[in-house]
Amino acid sequence: MTTTPHLSEALKRIEPSRTTAMTDRATELREQGRDIISLSVGEPDFATPANVIEAAKDALDAGQTKYTPVTGTMRLKQAAALHFKRDLGIETDPKNVIVSAGGKQAIFHALVATVSAGDEVIVPAPWWVSYPQIIRFAGGRVVPLITHAKDNFRFTAGDFEALITPQTQWLMLNSPGNPTGAYYPAEMLRLIGEVLRRHPRIMVLSDDIYAPLNYTGEPHATLANLCPDLAARICTVSGVSKSHAMTGFRIGVATGPAWLISAMGRLQSHSSGNPASISQAAAVAAFEGPQDFLDEWRERFRTRRDNVVGAINAIPGLSTPVPDGAFYCFVDAAPLIERFGDDEGLAMHLLDKGVAVVAASAFGGHDGFRISFAADDAVLDEAMRRIAAALA
Ligand code: PLP
């Protein structure tokens, strides 16, 4: 990374996102004429629903091209409150909803608005790349809560409680999770809730952005619904990026205690200002329009998951548990690592053989890589053939 005397201390504490770096690298190689399959990106390959596209066009035609209120239009906050109730079982007042430029910005604002030097944030590892970077940017200390493949990358309430100190300020919860697909069923969340009752200072950031992509057949479980007495300490983040294939629209929503939503709004008023007006109109259509296409998407993702997990586990030296949600497999390659030096060396070797994946260390893991199975079935088959050949 370039360092100059002008970089702030806060910026020096963080590195660029390694998932976007790998995706950019794959795009660059493709532009040079190389045949690269990118399984590094975290977005559904399905088309954005037609009613959403229509709503965006209608908003343009209606001249909705000006500033909106900083924290989102009341129309979208109402639609988001409907989504929180219908899809997550969380009762919220639209006044306690904030709309941001993606779930990422909502998380950034929640943490930067509340974390000070010395504060600790417990982050289950492997983690989504941005959590530790945002915490460090804010001046906080990342406390890794290591999870293992044998436990389907889930921690227990006891593991969590063992890491709590007087400095603990937040627990990050991401279910279904990126990069492992880990899903926390209601009984595990209730036990986590019991720990939280014993530690009244700790807040929870529940990142439910993958909620609709749950393959267990159970309804989505989330802490603010299961433990309503703790709701004043929970910030739940959701959005349309993953559920409605709207990654480019940049809309995320969050709900939580009024003081926190207001603090996030205060920061947003000086960072991006309002999220894009056209995207907000499109997100209303996403939340209020038909949701039945999700049944088909879930089925297609589940089939891809089963095929990819089967193919990975058939390659000598690779193994992965079956992810319960989202669209990622976190692959262990420990028996092969010596050949490549480290997991970055392995990822570079696979890139050279035509498949872009992201090294496990980018997510606080080790000796493996993450693949996204949000790609066409034939493309995934070819990618699995290339990985098998590259490691033979
Ligand atoms: N949270 C997790 C776990 C994610 O994987 C992502 C996207 O990759 C986000 C939040 C942010 O999504 P977006 O900002 O695209 O809405």
Side-chain angles (χ1 to χ4, degrees):
M1 211 195 318
T2 321
T3 49
T4 83
H6 303 289
L7 290 184
S8 69
E9 289 308 315
L11 195 84
K12 281 187 213 154
R13 291 193 289 267
I14 69 171
E15 57 173 38
S17 162
R18 280 168 66 187
T19 43
T20 40
M22 182 52 109
T23 306
D24 292 349
R25 184 103 198 269
T27 308
E28 215 175 280
L29 288 174
R30 273 200 199 125
E31 280 166 5
Q32 291 166 16
R34 295 274 308 276
D35 170 20
I36 305 286
I37 297 177
S38 180
L39 302 185
S40 57
V41 68
E43 67 182 349
D45 55 315
F46 303 134
T48 310
N51 67 310
V52 170
I53 304 289
E54 278 311 308
K57 288 183 188 161
D58 289 349
L60 271 172
D61 289 341
Q64 292 177 23
T65 53
K66 305 286 169 63
Y67 289 133
T68 75
V70 164
T71 57
T73 61
M74 187 40 76
R75 186 79 184 77
L76 178 51
K77 290 182 187 186
Q78 284 161 346
L82 165 85
H83 155 70
F84 279 116
K85 175 86 185 95
R86 179 190 62 208
D87 304 322
L88 305 181
I90 298 173
E91 203 74 68
T92 187
D93 188 314
K95 288 204 294 289
N96 289 339
V97 169
I98 183 167
V99 184
S100 299
K104 185 178 280 192
Q105 195 190 40
I107 296 166
F108 188 93
H109 286 165
L111 292 170
V112 171
T114 54
V115 173
S116 305
D119 288 339
E120 294 179 359
V121 182
I122 297 179
V123 191
W127 47 51
W128 179 47
V129 286
S130 293
Y131 297 148
Q133 305 295 338
I134 298 171
I135 294 159
R136 287 187 197 118
F137 183 80
R141 201 165 84 77
V142 176
V143 178
L145 201 181
I146 309 291
T147 66
H148 304 279
K150 68 173 173 45
D151 305 318
N152 275 23
F153 295 108
R154 290 187 295 225
F155 67 87
T156 64
D159 300 333
F160 162 47
E161 190 155 27
L163 293 180
I164 294 174
T165 74
Q167 283 70 47
T168 308
Q169 187 163 22
W170 284 95
L171 165 70
M172 305 299 292
L173 257 185
N174 177 211
S175 172
N178 176 6
T180 64
Y183 168 72
Y184 287 79
E187 58 276 18
M188 289 185 87
L189 292 177
R190 283 200 190 93
L191 293 173
I192 292 168
E194 281 177 24
V195 174
L196 288 162
R197 288 187 189 103
R198 289 196 283 277
H199 300 274
R201 183 173 177 267
I202 302 177
M203 310 251 321
V204 179
L205 198 146
S206 183
D207 179 351
D208 291 34
I209 200 134
Y210 292 98
L213 303 177
N214 163 354
Y215 314 117
T216 62
E218 293 168 22
H220 177 67
T222 192
L223 204 61
N225 162 262
L226 294 164
C227 306
D229 58 311
L230 299 176
R233 292 199 266 149
I234 302 170
C235 177
T236 306
V237 174
S238 186
V240 287
S241 299
K242 317 289 176 173
S243 56
H244 292 72
M246 289 173 66
T247 43
F249 282 82
R250 310 309 304 133
I251 293 290
V253 293
T255 188
W259 69 266
L260 177 65
I261 298 301
S262 153
M264 291 161 72
R266 193 175 348 160
L267 195 49
Q268 188 159 302
S269 74
H270 296 296
S271 58
S272 57
N274 67 268
S277 54
I278 313 299
S279 298
Q280 290 191 63
V284 170
F287 286 139
E288 292 186 354
Q291 309 291 311
D292 47 352
F293 67 92
L294 276 167
D295 293 334
E296 190 209 323
W297 285 17
R298 251 190 306 272
E299 261 330 288
R300 290 176 67 188
F301 276 134
R302 189 208 306 265
T303 306
R304 291 169 177 185
R305 173 199 68 173
D306 292 343
N307 292 342
V308 166
V309 167
I312 290 288
N313 285 328
I315 299 174
L318 298 188
S319 60
T320 179
V322 181
D324 279 330
F327 38 67
Y328 310 100
C329 285
F330 204 70
V331 180
D332 179 81
L336 305 177
I337 284 297
E338 221 177 299
R339 260 164 71 188
F340 303 100
D342 57 19
D343 61 359
E344 198 57 53
L346 169 60
M348 284 305 149
H349 173 72
L350 293 177
L351 183 63
D352 192 47
K353 300 295 177 188
V355 187
V357 299
V358 184
S361 51
F363 309 97
H366 55 88
D367 297 350
F369 54 90
R370 182 196 78 172
I371 57 178
S372 158
F373 53 83
D376 183 73
D377 302 62
V379 170
L380 286 172
D381 285 349
E382 173 59 17
M384 293 303 120
R385 266 193 297 277
R386 289 184 191 182
I387 293 175
L391 301 178

